[in-house]
Amino acid sequence: MRGRAQESLRQWLARTDLRRLAAGTQCVWYVLTGLWSLVDIHSFMAVTGPKTDIWLVRTVGALIIVIGSVLGMAAIRRRIGLQEMALGVGSALALAVVEIGYAATGVISPIYLIDGVVELVLLGLWFAGWVRGAAAQPGVGSMQ
């Protein structure tokens, strides 16, 4: 059964648009985490640690929702061009560097390492999607 599951996963990945998967996954993660800070700041701080500038937490949450929404619209429309890839990769990279760097030095709660790892997974999806697109269209790299 294990071999059959692995083969099914392999087949699914072979026919899946990884850029669309990255954009859609990032959309869901960003909208949920962004909304959390806006809807229930108390539970957000209970998990992530106390904050002094609530307005800044809410601003970042709102911006994360906007980024996720744009990526979600691109995934729904099945149009992932250079701009959408840059938005997805750039935001995931920025958050990964900040969260992992500051959590590792004790400036922010270690719980942010979880989001940092999610951001690295998203980067991996974007990279795999770019590589697959480049292989499908030599010389173009699927960057529209």
Side-chain angles (χ1 to χ4, degrees):
M1 186 64 158
R2 183 176 168 186
R4 187 178 297 173
Q6 287 176 336
E7 185 57 32
S8 294
L9 177 61
R10 224 174 277 145
Q11 290 172 354
W12 179 79
L13 284 172
R15 63 179 187 270
T16 298
D17 179 350
L18 296 178
R19 293 173 303 155
R20 186 172 181 228
L21 178 62
T25 303
Q26 198 165 354
C27 166
V28 170
W29 184 251
Y30 279 26
V31 169
L32 289 177
T33 57
L35 278 174
W36 184 20
S37 67
L38 296 177
V39 171
D40 189 358
I41 191 67
H42 298 295
S43 71
F44 183 82
M45 290 192 301
V47 172
T48 63
K51 311 286 187 269
T52 55
D53 292 328
I54 304 303
W55 70 270
L56 184 57
V57 175
R58 289 187 169 140
T59 300
V60 171
L63 290 171
I64 293 298
I65 292 168
V66 171
I67 293 168
S69 298
V70 169
L71 293 172
M73 287 185 284
I76 289 167
R77 293 177 59 220
R78 298 176 188 261
R79 297 198 62 188
I80 314 287
L82 180 58
Q83 297 86 353
E84 293 81 9
M85 289 179 66
L87 180 63
V89 169
S91 57
L93 182 60
L95 288 171
V97 167
V98 168
E99 291 170 336
I100 293 170
Y102 282 111
T105 58
V107 173
I108 59 175
S109 169
I111 196 75
Y112 282 97
L113 290 172
I114 294 171
D115 190 66
V117 169
V118 170
E119 302 301 336
L120 294 177
V121 169
L122 290 168
L123 286 168
L125 275 174
W126 281 113
F127 180 73
W130 177 77
V131 168
R132 182 180 288 172
Q137 299 175 356
V140 177
S142 77
M143 293 195 182
Q144 304 166 353

